[in-house]
Amino acid sequence: MNKTRLARLGDTIIASVKEVVGRGKVKKGEVVYCVVVRARMPRARSDGSEVRFDDNAAVIINKQGEPIGTRIMGPVCHELRRRKMVKVLSLAEHVA
Amino acid sequence: MVLKTEVCRFSGGKIYPGRGIRFIRADSQVFLFINSKCKRYFHNRLKPSKLTWTALYRKQHKKDIHAETVKRRRKTTTKTYSRSIVGASLEVIQKKRSEKTEVRAAAREAALREIKERIKKTKDEKRAKKVEAVSKSAKAVPKGAMGKGAMPKGPKLGGGGGKR
């Protein structure tokens, strides 16, 4: 992974599940891969502008980059297109 | 090169590419700010309509509107209708429009004169008829009884028919 150990928008991270809502595919305490889709930390865009979201959010994915879940809530960042996470983008309700 | 200037959501200023901060709220609403000043004010929940330097304030308090309205007035011109109406084809309308006032006045006078003459004529004719009728009835007194008898019969019959 990233040597600086800092995840930004669009980065893939390894996380452990702390809280589960309902009976999902993931259980509490599991170690999963996720991709950061929203971050409060501003990220520079190629045209020079900055993007920042209102909250921090990640989507749990498998090793191939496909989301485990069936729905994605809230907006999602553009950076995923560069990472070729097409499925995440298609499931998202809004790509910013 | 595509140069599209965006508009700052807070101040209304133009944002050239490479500048500005884009903030995406949780409800997927996108806010564009030209600088951190606008961004800060937005997050501190200040209202642009209350800050005199923003475009929203200027619009609300109707600044710079006089120049705009003057420009608009200059542009608007009355358009003359060039369509044919039922009863007057396009040529007729155009002809009438191109007539001069003197010609129109003369035409009006001529028309009036015609009408007056017509009225005169009819009046004269009526008078003549009356005179004739009176003279005829005066001449044909012996036959007048029959005539008179015949005359009232006409209307009576007509009246009878009408009653039916």
Side-chain angles (χ1 to χ4, degrees):
Chain A
M1 304 297 299
N2 200 354
K3 275 188 183 170
T4 57
R5 298 206 189 159
L6 263 177
R8 294 239 176 137
L9 263 183
D11 286 349
T12 321
I13 56 174
I14 303 173
S16 84
V17 178
K18 291 281 181 186
E19 233 184 81
V20 183
V21 178
R23 280 180 284 116
K25 291 179 184 172
V26 180
K27 283 182 202 163
K28 189 177 159 185
E30 256 190 55
V31 175
V32 290
Y33 281 88
C34 350
V35 63
V36 181
V37 293
R38 292 198 291 277
R40 277 225 188 102
M41 176 89 180
R43 171 132 170 136
R45 282 259 167 97
S46 57
D47 69 342
S49 60
E50 280 187 354
V51 200
R52 58 181 286 273
F53 290 83
D54 213 2
D55 61 342
N56 305 314
V59 171
I60 299 177
I61 53 171
N62 59 15
K63 282 213 175 163
Q64 279 78 44
E66 287 159 27
I68 291 174
T70 48
R71 283 179 68 195
I72 294 174
M73 311 293 225
V76 148
C77 64
H78 251 303
E79 271 72 11
L80 299 172
R81 204 162 272 159
R82 206 169 150 255
R83 313 281 172 145
K84 310 257 170 94
M85 306 234 168
V86 185
K87 255 233 145 163
V88 179
L89 282 169
S90 65
L91 277 173
E93 39 176 75
H94 182 76
V95 184
Chain B
M1 265 279 282
V2 176
L3 188 71
K4 188 188 174 193
T5 51
E6 316 256 356
V7 177
C8 176
R9 268 289 212 126
F10 192 84
S11 65
K14 278 194 213 167
I15 304 177
Y16 280 85
R19 266 192 197 273
I21 302 158
R22 188 180 291 246
F23 170 60
I24 299 148
R25 213 160 53 173
D27 60 356
S28 310
Q29 241 199 336
V30 183
F31 292 91
L32 285 154
F33 304 116
I34 189 166
N35 50 21
S36 65
K37 173 184 174 184
C38 297
K39 175 173 140 310
R40 218 184 315 129
Y41 283 172
F42 177 84
H43 284 303
N44 289 338
R45 286 151 104 244
L46 277 139
K47 291 190 181 156
S49 52
K50 293 206 171 172
L51 296 164
T52 46
W53 50 272
T54 56
L56 198 66
Y57 176 94
R58 304 215 71 181
K59 207 178 180 185
Q60 249 187 20
H61 292 256
K62 293 175 188 166
K63 313 272 183 188
D64 294 333
I65 276 182
H66 291 292
E68 274 188 46
T69 49
V70 166
K71 273 190 196 170
R72 267 184 219 157
R73 261 181 234 157
R74 280 188 204 154
K75 279 184 185 173
T76 54
T77 50
T78 50
K79 280 189 183 175
T80 50
Y81 279 85
S82 52
R83 267 175 135 202
S84 56
I85 311 165
V86 173
S89 68
L90 188 62
E91 294 154 342
V92 174
I93 292 171
Q94 281 180 338
K95 211 181 165 190
K96 286 204 170 173
R97 208 186 285 157
S98 57
E99 269 181 345
K100 286 190 183 169
T101 45
E102 299 139 348
V103 175
R104 260 189 224 154
R108 236 181 267 156
E109 274 184 49
L112 277 169
R113 249 180 269 145
E114 263 195 67
I115 290 165
K116 280 185 187 166
E117 279 176 27
R118 242 184 277 151
I119 289 167
K120 258 193 175 180
K121 261 195 191 176
T122 49
K123 275 192 182 168
D124 292 339
E125 279 174 19
K126 275 188 189 172
R127 267 187 228 151
K129 276 189 187 170
K130 274 191 187 173
V131 166
E132 274 188 50
V134 165
S135 62
K136 269 191 186 171
S137 60
K139 279 183 191 172
V141 164
K143 288 185 192 174
M146 291 284 287
K148 275 187 181 173
M151 283 286 284
K153 268 188 191 173
K156 267 191 185 172
L157 277 168
K163 273 187 184 174
R164 271 190 215 154

